Amino acid sequence: MQYDYDIIIVGTGPAGASTALHLVQIAPELAKRTLMLEKERHPRPKLCGGGVLQDGEFILSRLGMDIDTVPHVVVKEAHFQFEGRGFFIARQPVSFRVFARDLFDQWLADEARQRGIQIVEGTRVRKVTPTDGGVIVETDQAAYTARAVVGADGSLSVVRRAVPGARTGHTARLLEFYIPPENTPPENHDKGIFDYKVIGQGVQGYVWNFPMLSDGRPARNRGIFDLRMHDSPLQDLRPILQQAVAEDGQTLEDYALHSHPIRWFDPEDSFAAPHILLAGDAAGVDPTYGEGISFALGYGELAAHELKAAFARDDFSFSGYKTRILKSRMGVILKRRRRLAAMLYSIRNPNIQRLIWWRLNFLLRWYVETFLIDWAK
Ligand SMILES: Cc1cc2nc3c(=O)[nH]c(=O)nc-3n(C[C@H](O)[C@H](O)[C@H](O)COP(=O)(O)OP(=O)(O)OC[C@H]3O[C@@H](n4cnc5c(N)ncnc54)[C@H](O)[C@@H]3O)c2cc1C
């Protein structure tokens, strides 16, 4: 049978772009017969804090891409605290960088396009159906056939629905708002703050306070992350976020509040089916902080290698993809972060949290620095 494409990648966020860019690098013949489908048009809005750790930089620099060329804020200190006390990490040359996701993702997609990848924007994938030797990808415009499809279509992935055994649920809730430059205090523009004080209010997560750029001027990004891993009553996040930001003189009524889920990683999950691979949020990212950009880039690298091997062997079962994810450096770190999240967010007693953050902070800092980052180096 003749297929329209060898590979269709659904979604042009970090996971999809990374899959495409790695294909160009390691399997240029396949890259020429790859189509990317995107429901939006770049630069498209993407709800996100935009914090990219060095792991993301390592992956992109191996692709010959310089992250420094995209406008961003350098965060020198990442503060992790409970009720204002904890520890901070100050890495060289940066702890992390904060990007406007619309510009960051546009840069990734433009780079993929310039390197020869065909991208069709404004096309929403509705359904993916495996056939004997490939897949049918139905969109709101047309239907395409391919030997393999990569679901890089985010936490609400349509492609994921075609993967038997893929878990339902497993999504964190997030609320986010932006404080414009005119209301942004001038201090702390190089600090990112994660405060876990909301754990005592039944939230399995933290509130964040990140610097960002708005039209090139300093602004702030504030939000709340609730993992929802443990069974406990669902909290209304809005008043909890309101209370948290009121301490800095901010009130939610002044701003537009947005929400979007993050699918979190579970080693027991399904990540593939014959002719179908999942990557990025569609597969599941970090449950501790909801860090997903670097992991999406990491999944893209693994997916590209999986595709190359499948075409070389003419075997599209993708039966080894899960094992390769779990055994990769990225998979090992995701498993560790999942264990930490399970432990940290199960403790609702504020006194025990204070003990962890105020007295054992040196241990936690050592663990984070030694075991949770630098997986893509
Ligand atoms: C409020 C919030 C704050 C966050 N802050 C951070 C942070 O500071 N740092 C960090 O590392 N991570 C953060 N994350 C997580 C991060 O945004 C994601 O993990 C990351 O975007 C995952 O990349 P992805 O490529 O897998 O998916 P996405 O970035 O979601 O990209 C998916 C793409 O697929 C397209 N698409 C979706 N459905 C279809 C369809 N049916 N057909 C065609 N195209 C489709 C979408 O338009 C999109 O372009 C945050 C998330 C949220 C919600």
Side-chain angles (χ1 to χ4, degrees):
M1 178 178 165
Q2 279 290 98
Y3 293 89
D4 299 328
Y5 293 93
D6 279 349
I7 299 163
I8 292 178
I9 301 171
V10 184
T12 58
S18 171
T19 308
L21 289 160
H22 280 96
L23 278 173
V24 172
Q25 191 175 60
I26 63 166
E29 286 311 309
L30 285 179
K32 283 185 199 146
R33 298 191 300 273
T34 294
L35 172 70
M36 294 187 85
L37 295 172
E38 170 57 55
K39 70 179 166 68
E40 309 285 344
R41 289 182 192 280
H42 289 287
R44 55 102 177 85
K46 164 73 183 93
L47 199 63
C48 183
V52 180
L53 273 79
Q54 278 182 292
D55 288 305
E57 287 188 45
F58 297 141
I59 296 169
L60 290 169
S61 76
R62 286 199 292 274
L63 286 167
M65 293 170 70
D66 183 0
I67 207 165
D68 240 342
T69 57
V70 189
H72 64 272
V73 182
V74 166
V75 175
K76 294 201 176 130
E77 294 177 7
H79 288 250
F80 300 89
Q81 58 194 34
F82 187 83
E83 298 171 349
R85 280 170 64 186
F87 64 91
F88 72 90
I89 292 177
R91 294 171 62 81
Q92 294 302 327
V94 301
S95 284
F96 62 95
R97 298 173 199 263
V98 180
F99 293 85
R101 277 297 300 275
D102 55 345
L103 301 182
F104 184 74
D105 289 13
Q106 182 179 34
W107 173 64
L108 292 175
D110 282 351
E111 199 66 31
R113 200 181 266 121
Q114 274 164 28
R115 295 183 189 195
I117 296 284
Q118 192 185 337
I119 302 181
V120 175
E121 296 178 86
T123 298
R124 180 187 288 270
V125 170
R126 298 266 186 220
K127 194 174 177 198
V128 168
T129 314
T131 60
D132 265 356
V135 277
I136 302 168
V137 178
E138 291 170 58
T139 77
D140 53 5
Q141 320 270 328
Y144 303 93
T145 56
R147 301 287 333 258
V149 65
V150 179
D153 49 343
S155 292
L156 303 173
S157 171
V158 169
V159 181
R160 188 179 166 85
R161 292 183 205 151
V163 175
R167 302 260 156 130
T168 52
H170 283 49
T171 49
R173 300 185 297 159
L174 292 93
L175 290 182
E176 181 181 270
F177 68 97
Y178 304 106
I179 301 175
E182 54 275 21
N183 293 355
T184 292
E187 68 274 12
N188 292 340
H189 199 53
D190 56 0
K191 287 194 183 112
I193 301 164
F194 301 74
D195 199 319
Y196 293 80
K197 60 188 171 191
V198 291
I199 291 181
Q201 291 162 279
V203 176
Q204 296 166 29
Y206 59 88
V207 282
W208 76 84
N209 183 351
F210 285 3
M212 61 175 280
L213 286 181
S214 170
D215 295 329
R217 294 159 64 204
R220 296 303 288 190
N221 177 303
R222 305 291 308 254
I224 186 165
F225 170 82
D226 183 23
L227 181 64
R228 302 298 308 153
M229 179 183 275
H230 302 292
D231 220 6
S232 64
L234 201 63
Q235 303 299 324
D236 183 356
L237 296 182
R238 203 185 155 91
I240 297 175
L241 180 60
Q242 167 63 65
Q243 194 187 336
V245 300
E247 290 164 21
D248 305 327
Q250 302 289 347
T251 172
L252 287 190
E253 271 72 56
D254 296 341
Y255 306 110
L257 202 57
H258 304 282
S259 70
H260 192 76
I262 299 181
R263 176 169 300 288
W264 42 266
F265 173 82
D266 179 351
E268 304 299 320
D269 211 340
S270 296
F271 302 92
H275 304 278
I276 304 173
L277 293 174
L278 299 177
D281 274 10
V285 295
D286 161 42
T288 305
Y289 310 110
E291 187 199 348
I293 301 170
S294 303
F295 290 107
L297 295 168
Y299 269 111
E301 182 171 7
L302 294 175
H305 282 277
E306 204 66 24
L307 289 161
K308 183 181 178 187
F311 279 90
R313 292 194 310 260
D314 195 28
D315 172 0
F316 294 89
S317 65
F318 295 133
S319 54
Y321 183 55
K322 176 172 175 167
T323 309
R324 275 182 279 278
I325 290 174
L326 297 184
K327 286 195 168 160
S328 68
R329 276 292 292 157
M330 182 186 86
V332 169
I333 299 286
L334 281 172
K335 280 186 277 183
R336 281 187 198 145
R337 289 199 189 195
R338 187 174 188 280
R339 282 196 293 272
L340 178 63
M343 188 278 288
L344 199 59
Y345 300 139
S346 68
I347 304 168
R348 280 199 60 185
N349 183 326
N351 287 327
I352 303 180
Q353 288 288 351
R354 284 184 196 115
L355 175 75
I356 294 172
W357 294 95
W358 297 3
R359 302 264 175 244
L360 304 176
N361 49 3
F362 66 96
L363 263 182
L364 202 52
R365 178 189 163 154
W366 167 78
Y367 186 76
V368 171
E369 284 207 287
T370 314
F371 294 109
L372 297 190
I373 50 180
D374 288 343
W375 53 270
K377 214 166 188 171

